[in-house]
Amino acid sequence: MKPFSILYRSAMPVTVLVSGLMLSASALAIDTTTAVKRTLESSPELQLYPYHVRALEGESLQAGLKPNPTLGVSLENVMGTGDSRVLAGHELTLSLSQVLELGGKRERRVDVVDRKSAILQREYEVTRLDVVSSMLRDYYAALRLQQLLDWNRQRINTEQAALKVIEQRARAGVVGEADRMRMQLRLEKSQAKQQTLAAEHEQSLRTLASSWLQEPDFNAVEGDMTALPDLPNKASLEQAVLETPDYLLVTAQSRINEARLALAEAERTANVTVGAGIRRFEANDDLALVFNFSMPLQLNDRNQGNIAAAQAEYQGKLAQQELLKSKLSVALTRISAAMQNNIAQEKRLTQKLKPVARSLLKEVERGYKLGIYNVLQWVDAQDELYTIERDIIEAQHAVQLQFLELERLSGMSLVNDATQSATDKE
């Protein structure tokens, strides 16, 4: 089986055991491809982004608008004495003026909105990865419970077989009733445990389906946690630090603060207003062209506070970017080390301890039938094997979750080509 990644969505093969029975054609199982598709289509967190996109489109439109021209009307010398008596010598002026934005203000406003669009895209990518990885954690939780159901079913079968042997020896008078009662008690505890695991598995399926706001229309998940992913190499992790969605988001935020700083600096340049019009002199019935020009006197920099604030925010984002880079590097290294330890633990349990525990159980079972060992020794041998098998399942589950977290943080598929080529041949 190919290791699953957030970005590499091949379906897992059907190798799951449900309640101790092999998954049959009648079982309704869901695979990772379907689960990811449903989550992306129906996740509440992702449904809000189209509205944010529309809002940014409006901001972009607004940022690119130029100031409208101004129509001016003035009436002078309306009331007075002599030649300036009521409307006798008035002057009527019609003018049209336009504010000219200097310093590239409009381009800077558009640039700020463009940077916001980049941030929105990064935020969507981060949320998308978080949503999918959260769903996959629930997916692996259900898969873990399915393997525990099979593990416990095998334990029940072993204890039932052991109980029959003890009952036969008890009827023959070789062992006492206490041996039978001890094994019967263990069997009933295992059966109770099976019911608890079945209830937890059912709840895990509901939790999984809640990722797309539905009730489960399946009773199992497909997959095999025994196919462990390869540990990413150091070079891949070092490259992943600079490609992590969280790091790219902070980088985009630093760029928008850079654009805001440029806008604040552009706004220190004063705009000018120019205009032209026609003036009518009522006294002699003449017309004349008039022109006007105005601009504020920049005696003081009225935008120095905004520039200082924008500069501080920009520098703060740069510092946050470096801090996040260090934190991500530490996190990826720590998770990789923990994953390596769990892979080694799973390998040691599977290849060394489990075969020894199986041989021990067979030997004690044989010896019990011959009267060499007592029931307590048989029970202890069973517990050794069951504990090792449970530890193997937990180690496999931990490796899958750690690999999933590495891919969530990096936003990259860490499934290497060598692994894929090898599994394709299987």
Side-chain angles (χ1 to χ4, degrees):
M1 185 195 75
K2 297 178 180 177
F4 180 81
S5 78
I6 297 178
L7 305 179
Y8 179 76
R9 299 191 181 94
S10 62
M12 291 183 174
V14 184
T15 55
V16 177
L17 301 174
V18 183
S19 300
L21 301 176
M22 289 299 294
L23 189 63
S24 64
S26 60
L28 299 176
I30 189 172
D31 59 21
T32 52
T33 302
T34 303
V36 168
K37 180 180 178 182
R38 290 183 178 184
T39 300
L40 293 177
E41 289 177 348
S42 304
S43 171
E45 291 88 344
L46 300 179
Q47 302 307 309
L48 298 177
Y49 277 88
Y51 300 101
H52 298 322
V53 171
R54 293 174 193 171
L56 270 182
E57 290 174 351
E59 285 190 40
S60 179
L61 176 62
Q62 184 65 34
L65 295 178
K66 298 179 180 179
N68 286 321
T70 302
L71 176 64
V73 179
S74 65
L75 186 62
E76 301 177 11
N77 302 327
V78 177
M79 300 182 67
T81 60
D83 293 338
S84 298
R85 63 186 182 276
V86 178
L87 298 179
H90 71 273
E91 299 176 3
L92 176 65
T93 305
L94 298 177
S95 64
L96 192 65
S97 60
Q98 175 70 53
V99 175
L100 301 180
E101 293 185 302
L102 302 182
K105 296 184 180 66
R106 185 168 65 90
E107 291 78 6
R108 298 293 182 270
R109 289 197 302 268
V110 172
D111 188 39
V112 169
V113 178
D114 289 342
R115 301 292 177 90
K116 284 185 179 181
S117 180
I119 288 180
L120 182 63
Q121 179 63 31
R122 294 301 182 189
E123 287 178 344
Y124 177 80
E125 292 172 0
V126 170
T127 304
R128 182 175 179 273
L129 285 172
D130 287 344
V131 166
V132 172
S133 62
S134 176
M135 180 277 296
L136 288 175
R137 283 193 290 270
D138 294 335
Y139 191 99
Y140 281 120
L143 188 56
R144 166 183 171 272
L145 287 168
Q146 286 176 193
Q147 292 195 209
L148 287 177
L149 281 166
D150 178 60
W151 162 79
N152 199 60
R153 172 58 64 188
Q154 294 177 7
R155 177 173 183 166
I156 290 173
N157 292 338
T158 300
E159 291 171 349
Q160 287 175 337
L163 182 60
K164 290 181 180 179
V165 173
I166 295 174
E167 288 176 342
Q168 291 174 357
R169 293 177 61 81
R171 286 194 296 269
V174 180
V175 297
E177 182 67 14
D179 283 3
R180 187 196 67 78
M181 295 176 64
R182 184 181 298 277
M183 188 57 67
Q184 180 67 40
L185 180 60
R186 287 175 58 83
L187 175 59
E188 291 180 357
K189 285 184 177 180
S190 297
Q191 291 172 337
K193 179 65 174 178
Q194 189 74 354
Q195 294 178 353
T196 301
L197 288 173
E200 292 177 355
H201 176 251
E202 182 179 357
Q203 181 58 40
S204 72
L205 297 180
R206 293 182 179 276
T207 301
L208 175 61
S210 68
S211 296
W212 51 86
L213 301 179
Q214 293 181 6
E215 287 294 316
D217 55 356
F218 50 90
N219 52 25
V221 297
E222 296 181 3
D224 180 12
M225 289 199 303
T226 62
L228 299 181
D230 287 347
L231 183 69
N233 57 48
K234 184 177 181 181
S236 298
L237 291 177
E238 289 177 351
Q239 177 62 28
V241 171
L242 300 179
E243 300 294 333
T244 59
D246 289 331
Y247 180 78
L248 293 176
L249 174 59
V250 173
T251 301
Q253 290 172 339
S254 69
R255 288 172 179 169
I256 192 175
N257 283 327
E258 183 181 18
R260 285 171 174 165
L261 174 60
L263 176 60
E265 291 176 342
E267 287 177 345
R268 96 182 347 157
T269 302
N271 297 329
V272 299
T273 303
V274 295
I278 299 176
R279 177 171 295 174
R280 173 181 171 77
F281 299 91
E282 183 64 24
N284 50 16
D285 198 21
D286 288 338
L287 297 176
L289 291 177
V290 294
F291 300 94
N292 60 70
F293 171 87
S294 66
M295 66 175 295
L297 297 176
Q298 298 290 82
L299 299 179
N300 296 303
D301 186 355
R302 299 286 297 173
N303 211 45
Q304 55 185 327
N306 292 332
I307 294 175
Q311 181 69 35
E313 290 178 0
Y314 175 55
Q315 295 296 333
K317 280 298 178 183
L318 291 179
Q320 182 182 354
Q321 184 177 339
E322 290 302 314
L323 179 60
L324 181 60
K325 179 180 177 181
S326 300
K327 288 184 176 180
L328 287 172
S329 179
V330 171
L332 289 172
T333 302
R334 177 179 55 80
I335 296 172
S336 178
M339 181 179 170
Q340 183 177 15
N341 291 336
N342 282 314
I343 290 176
Q345 175 72 356
E346 194 271 347
K347 182 177 180 180
R348 183 167 52 251
L349 290 169
T350 302
Q351 298 181 3
K352 295 183 178 180
L353 298 183
K354 186 176 179 179
V356 175
R358 282 188 178 277
S359 299
L360 174 63
L361 179 57
K362 290 181 179 179
E363 173 61 24
V364 174
E365 182 178 357
R366 184 189 65 83
Y368 180 81
K369 294 177 181 179
L370 297 175
I372 300 175
Y373 301 112
N374 58 41
V375 71
L376 292 178
Q377 291 172 307
W378 194 4
V379 167
D380 287 342
Q382 289 178 343
D383 283 341
E384 289 290 343
L385 179 60
Y386 298 150
T387 300
I388 290 173
E389 290 178 340
R390 175 71 181 258
D391 289 343
I392 290 174
I393 294 175
E394 299 299 349
Q396 291 169 349
H397 182 241
V399 170
Q400 300 290 355
L401 292 185
Q402 286 158 352
F403 186 77
L404 177 63
E405 184 63 12
L406 285 176
E407 290 204 321
R408 186 196 70 81
L409 285 177
S410 67
M412 299 170 59
S413 173
L414 300 177
V415 180
N416 56 57
D417 295 336
T419 301
Q420 295 183 26
S421 299
T423 52
D424 284 339
K425 297 177 181 178
E426 297 179 356

